[in-house]
Amino acid sequence: MVRIASVNVNGVRAAFRKDMGGWLEAGDFDIVALQEVRALDEDLLPLVPGWHVLHDPATAKGRAGVAVLSREPSIEHRTDIGLKTFDTKGRWLEADFLIGETLLTVVSAYVHSGGEVGSQKQADKYRFLDSMAKRLPQLRAHTEHAVVMGDFNVGHTPLDIKNWRGNQKTAGFLPEERSYLDRFLGTGMVTGVDGKRGRGHGWVDVGRVAHPDVDGPYTWWSQRGKAFDTDTGWRIDYHMATPALAATASGYRVDRASAWDTRWSDHAPVIVDYDL
């Protein structure tokens, strides 16, 4: 069994000051994917002694950044999602592990948050999602056992956002964004919620399989107001697995903090056991 966690840490140094380290050591994890690390190697490595660390910091200091921590070393890693004219540093990190005779690929992904419709921030988000759409079939060709994890900054369906009716024109729940997930997770020809048709990639949303037809469980809550206390959240953090790997998944859980003042990030970790 391989226990894999993923979490947007919202700044790893701040998270460790709030006892992320205690969570990390108590979790019995084999692999941990981090997003929004917002640090350099010299900041991150002293925080995680005993772990093998792969880290792709963003070009702009203090922004984005993804990492993969593991108890056993990876056999290979990559940070190229395929866009040559667009800076994707700190947003995509693939790591290959050999589990017995099985090749397991894990990806820590941090999709752009986006912005106003028609803005450059939203255009960057669509370009990154387009790159994911091209990379996903390549990953499945690479291995039958792969999982793309992280903060996708998209709620897929109304079950994934508490106040979905009020957010239909908000970045993170736009029909065009949600349609990417329709295609990532669909099979055959798929008609997205934006009305456009495309071929499905056949990946599996492990969290939704574990919790069908229920609201959430949410993974992010705004820092404003009483969003955490009232569980007015969004499910935007995913384990998206190939069918072969998803078939081995069990124990999916969102490690939601017990109280607002015990959180070390505005996101909660998402944890899955895979029987490999």
Side-chain angles (χ1 to χ4, degrees):
M1 186 270 287
V2 180
R3 178 164 292 168
I4 304 179
S6 177
V7 59
N8 178 321
V9 297
N10 195 23
V12 71
R13 288 167 291 181
F16 266 78
R17 288 195 293 270
K18 299 174 184 176
D19 199 33
M20 176 185 166
W23 168 84
L24 186 62
E25 292 308 311
D28 195 26
F29 307 120
D30 297 291
I31 300 171
V32 181
L34 308 179
Q35 303 88 45
E36 209 171 352
V37 176
R38 297 193 299 186
L40 301 176
D41 282 350
E42 53 262 40
D43 303 313
L44 174 61
L45 295 179
L47 299 175
V48 287
W51 291 88
H52 296 277
V53 181
L54 300 173
H55 179 214
D56 187 43
T59 302
K61 188 176 180 180
R63 302 289 298 276
V66 287
V68 173
L69 315 181
S70 59
R71 290 302 188 184
E72 299 296 330
S74 65
I75 59 173
E76 189 177 353
H77 72 280
R78 299 162 296 278
T79 59
D80 183 9
I81 195 174
L83 268 171
K84 302 301 183 185
T85 60
F86 183 53
D87 184 6
T88 59
K89 276 190 63 62
R91 293 191 177 274
W92 186 267
L93 174 58
E94 302 175 9
D96 291 341
F97 297 91
L98 199 57
I99 311 297
E101 297 183 354
T102 299
L103 177 63
L104 170 67
T105 297
V106 303
V107 181
S108 183
Y110 179 43
V111 179
H112 299 68
S113 58
E116 297 286 336
V117 174
S119 68
Q120 186 59 52
K121 287 184 177 180
Q122 192 63 25
D124 289 346
K125 184 174 190 176
Y126 289 139
R127 290 174 71 188
F128 192 83
L129 289 167
D130 283 336
S131 297
M132 285 182 65
K134 293 177 181 178
R135 185 60 184 150
L136 290 177
Q138 297 168 355
L139 283 174
R140 288 193 66 175
H142 179 63
T143 178
E144 292 183 348
H145 296 86
V147 57
V148 179
M149 299 174 289
D151 180 1
F152 288 11
N153 269 311
V154 179
H156 185 202
T157 76
L159 294 176
D160 297 313
I161 299 182
K162 183 69 168 286
N163 183 23
W164 68 268
R165 289 182 178 84
N167 282 286
Q168 294 179 80
K169 296 183 179 180
T170 302
F173 200 63
L174 298 173
E176 294 83 1
E177 297 172 321
R178 296 166 56 202
S179 291
Y180 281 95
L181 289 184
D182 288 336
R183 292 186 288 273
F184 293 170
L185 302 169
T187 57
M189 292 302 295
V190 176
T191 301
V193 291
D194 62 355
K196 297 180 180 177
R197 285 179 59 78
R199 187 167 298 281
H201 295 286
W203 289 65
V204 178
D205 179 352
V206 176
R208 186 50 67 205
V209 170
H211 296 279
D213 303 320
V214 300
D215 293 334
Y218 305 123
T219 64
W220 175 81
W221 301 262
S222 171
Q223 299 279 37
R224 298 190 295 270
K226 298 282 187 179
F228 184 81
D229 295 334
T230 59
D231 201 24
T232 304
W234 296 50
R235 190 178 76 98
I236 55 176
D237 302 88
Y238 295 84
H239 278 232
M240 186 171 70
T242 55
L245 184 62
T248 75
S250 65
Y252 174 97
R253 71 179 189 273
V254 174
D255 202 358
R256 187 180 190 272
S258 59
W260 183 91
D261 58 359
T262 66
R263 297 190 301 167
W264 41 264
S265 173
D266 52 351
H267 293 252
V270 181
I271 303 164
V272 181
D273 294 334
Y274 295 97
D275 186 11
L276 294 177

